[in-house]
Amino acid sequence: MSTPEPYKIKTVESIYQSSISERQKWIKDASYNLFNLKSQQVFIDLLTDSGTGAMSDKQWSAMMSADESYAGSRSHTLLGKAVKDLFGFPYFLPTHQGRAAENVLFSALVSEGNLVPGNTHFDTTKGHIEFRKAKAIDCTIDEAFDTHHQHPFKGNIDLKKLETVLASNPKGEIPFIIVTITCNSAGGQPVSMENMRSVRKLADQYNIPILIDSARFAENAYYIKTREDGYREKDIREIIGEMYAMADMMTLSAKKDGLVNIGGLIACRDETVYRSASTFNIMFEGFISYGGLAGRDMSALAQGLYEVTEFPYLESRIKQVAYLGENLLKLGIPIQEPVGGHAVFLNALEFLPNVPREEFPAQTLAIELYMESGIRGVEIGTLMADRDPVSRENRYPALEMVRLALPRRTYTNNHMDFVIEAVKRVWTRRENISRGYRITREAPILRHFTIELEPVE
Ligand code: F0G
């Protein structure tokens, strides 16, 4: 039986299907950076699943009954209750989004020379670590970097790699271990409960706290329920409780599994961490009871956190992503396997083998797909990996991918069929694509957002 969406549509938004010649002009004007396109120039927007989903009628109602008091608002209390119910943390601070949570918490905990091991850190997370002259060390299992290798939990941390880092730390230079669930940069791949338990054991042995980067925590819980022995009968909320019982703190970009368009938070068990982070929250975000959010944002988030843990929602969500991925696989198109939770990742090195690495094959593929169809994906490859902070050389990551991220509750499977057809058309003419792009302008950090490019002739 297929899994239909457990909701019906109440509001719709028109989208414009442009012509190839319009798109060729627009992408040139955008300096071949898909972030520079106007949304009207995009037909199906798979740039990100972050802040792009549809809210429910209950969330909109929660916004109307929210409390906009500066201090001690009802909305803040509601959000605190959801955080305590789902994650079990007694302390929390709202922030305006995930990277703001990183900025605030890392200001309190990360300093120059620190090492921060984890499974492939998200780019802003890594950015916030490196900005403080500390080092993010990727301890993801090797299987994650072989896109055809079948492994149910490719987001797992390699315990040997982790222990090597922990053992190299006689002077207390490791403020925490980061577990990113699901692991976005490795392809939206989940982390198993068993792996988290082993990481907890090592963390205890070396007396180091664990931080969960929680953007897609409910999607991770879905995979534990459906793929890990012993969890099939457990409720999603029980699984979430068990995952977070192993953590000391969390950062959350609420724009994904919070089911809201803006928002984030920090939560923790330790009062000292909370007090120290509170000072930075007041400086960077706003008072501790709103942290850069309106009361209505906090109320919508409190409601979204409960909705995202409902199994029928999660099942239709994950199955839509799988529908896209599995239909591409049937055509022989190389993607990260198994299909991840929030996105399908095209393996650009296999898709466009004729484009040299120095000419950014993943960016080239993302541009080709846009010109073909008006679909916007995003490069997760060399442009995003940035330059080495010391040598300033390009870093060539193990995976060079184009991510097609699906906004939550937004597109139907008819849209997915269009995406499948468009990718197929680029795949059919892949042999003719042999030149990529060169950089004409770039920022010193997080360059991919604003980079400017031109085609290599
Ligand atoms: N951590 C992870 C795992 C993320 O995927 C993101 C954002 C963040 C932290 C930062 O959160 O955007 O609210 O500041 N990922 C988005 C994406 C941008 O497109 O994958 P933010």
Side-chain angles (χ1 to χ4, degrees):
M1 265 296 256
S2 64
T3 310
E5 292 78 2
Y7 49 82
K8 54 185 179 173
I9 296 165
K10 196 174 268 189
T11 305
V12 296
E13 177 183 348
S14 300
I15 48 179
Y16 172 63
Q17 197 166 9
S18 51
S19 66
I20 290 196
S21 57
E22 280 177 313
R23 292 192 291 274
Q24 280 167 340
K25 176 181 182 316
W26 291 336
I27 191 69
K28 181 165 189 268
D29 291 347
S31 303
Y32 299 94
N33 178 346
L34 295 143
F35 285 99
N36 285 338
L37 291 171
K38 302 267 180 271
S39 67
Q40 311 91 283
Q41 298 168 339
V42 176
F43 182 48
I44 296 181
D45 204 349
L46 308 183
L47 180 74
T48 178
D49 62 323
S50 180
T52 51
M55 290 207 300
S56 69
D57 51 353
K58 287 192 182 142
Q59 287 179 289
W60 284 106
S61 315
M63 289 181 86
M64 283 305 294
S65 54
D67 177 358
E68 301 301 341
S69 304
Y70 190 99
S73 76
R74 238 176 16 252
S75 299
H76 176 257
T77 306
L78 275 176
L79 183 53
K81 182 176 177 314
V83 169
K84 181 89 183 30
D85 277 357
L86 293 170
F87 308 111
F89 291 118
Y91 299 106
F92 98 100
L93 290 166
T95 62
H96 82 273
Q97 62 182 89
R99 70 200 69 184
E102 291 161 1
N103 186 31
V104 168
L105 188 63
F106 296 4
S107 293
L109 298 179
V110 179
S111 46
E112 186 168 344
N114 282 181
L115 306 177
V116 184
N119 51 346
T120 316
H121 309 61
F122 182 65
D123 57 346
T124 61
T125 319
K126 192 171 183 178
H128 273 296
I129 292 167
E130 291 178 350
F131 184 70
R132 289 170 174 81
K133 298 194 163 54
K135 218 169 151 190
I137 302 182
D138 190 348
C139 298
T140 313
I141 55 170
D142 290 337
E143 289 88 334
F145 304 104
D146 173 356
T147 57
H148 300 299
H149 186 95
Q150 298 294 328
H151 187 296
F153 292 101
K154 274 184 163 176
N156 279 356
I157 290 185
D158 183 317
L159 301 170
K160 282 213 186 84
K161 290 186 196 171
L162 177 63
E163 183 151 27
T164 306
V165 181
L166 300 186
S168 73
N169 167 47
K171 292 183 293 212
E173 287 170 342
I174 303 180
F176 46 80
I177 299 163
I178 295 192
V179 184
T180 307
I181 61 173
T182 57
C183 189
N184 182 4
S185 313
Q189 299 291 323
V191 178
S192 72
M193 196 73 88
E194 187 194 6
N195 188 249
M196 281 191 223
R197 227 174 274 127
S198 308
V199 170
R200 179 74 258 176
K201 231 189 237 167
L202 269 182
D204 285 342
Q205 211 173 307
Y206 288 89
N207 199 21
I208 292 173
I210 294 179
L211 163 72
I212 300 188
D213 178 351
S214 309
R216 300 173 182 87
F217 69 95
E219 291 171 5
N220 201 87
Y222 173 90
Y223 283 118
I224 289 176
K225 182 176 169 72
T226 54
R227 289 186 183 169
E228 193 162 350
D229 285 346
Y231 288 93
R232 194 158 283 276
E233 300 309 319
K234 291 206 173 159
D235 183 70
I236 292 289
R237 284 192 198 157
E238 248 181 294
I239 295 172
I240 291 168
E242 193 174 327
M243 295 190 308
Y244 282 86
M246 289 186 277
D248 300 280
M249 49 199 156
M250 68 186 282
T251 49
L252 172 78
S253 166
K255 302 171 71 173
K256 288 86 169 172
D257 275 353
L259 298 179
V260 289
N261 304 112
I262 195 73
L265 59 85
I266 296 164
C268 63
R269 259 178 246 297
D270 186 296
E271 188 180 345
T272 316
V273 171
Y274 168 73
R275 299 230 172 266
S276 168
S278 295
T279 306
F280 291 104
N281 214 45
I282 294 168
M283 286 202 304
F284 298 149
E285 290 289 292
F287 186 57
I288 54 172
S289 67
Y290 73 89
L293 295 176
R296 54 183 169 270
D297 299 325
M298 291 189 284
S299 285
L301 172 55
Q303 172 64 24
L305 286 173
Y306 290 112
E307 280 177 21
V308 81
T309 63
E310 286 165 12
F311 186 75
Y313 157 74
L314 276 172
E315 180 153 62
S316 77
R317 156 75 176 160
I318 302 275
K319 289 203 167 162
Q320 184 175 51
V321 182
Y323 176 82
L324 173 60
E326 278 158 20
N327 277 296
L328 293 177
L329 276 175
K330 277 186 205 152
L331 296 167
I333 292 167
I335 63 168
Q336 170 70 298
E337 298 171 56
V339 180
H342 66 294
V344 172
F345 290 69
L346 306 173
N347 181 338
L349 294 181
E350 292 179 9
F351 201 120
L352 294 182
N354 299 337
V355 176
R357 202 84 206 262
E358 311 75 62
E359 296 176 14
F360 313 112
Q363 181 69 11
T364 306
L365 178 55
I367 293 167
E368 288 295 332
L369 182 61
Y370 171 71
M371 288 201 285
E372 178 72 48
S373 60
I375 295 165
R376 171 160 68 173
V378 71
E379 190 246 27
I380 311 266
T382 307
L383 293 181
M384 185 189 256
D386 228 315
R387 292 179 187 274
D388 182 274
V390 180
S391 73
R392 302 306 298 157
E393 292 297 324
N394 272 324
R395 275 191 288 218
Y396 291 102
L399 296 177
E400 183 83 30
M401 304 199 276
V402 175
R403 185 184 73 172
L404 305 176
L406 301 198
R408 294 168 181 77
R409 307 191 287 206
T410 303
Y411 293 113
T412 68
N413 281 8
N414 278 337
H415 292 109
M416 294 308 109
D417 288 337
F418 180 85
V419 176
I420 294 158
E421 182 58 32
V423 176
K424 183 181 157 191
R425 273 190 275 163
V426 181
W427 175 246
T428 310
R429 59 179 176 81
R430 65 190 182 282
E431 293 297 333
N432 304 333
I433 304 169
S434 57
R435 299 318 303 258
Y437 292 81
R438 76 165 71 85
I439 298 172
T440 55
R441 184 191 290 242
E442 72 182 277
I445 194 164
L446 295 175
R447 63 178 176 176
H448 56 292
F449 289 117
T450 54
I451 205 150
E452 295 181 11
L453 302 159
E454 67 183 13
V456 177
E457 296 308 334

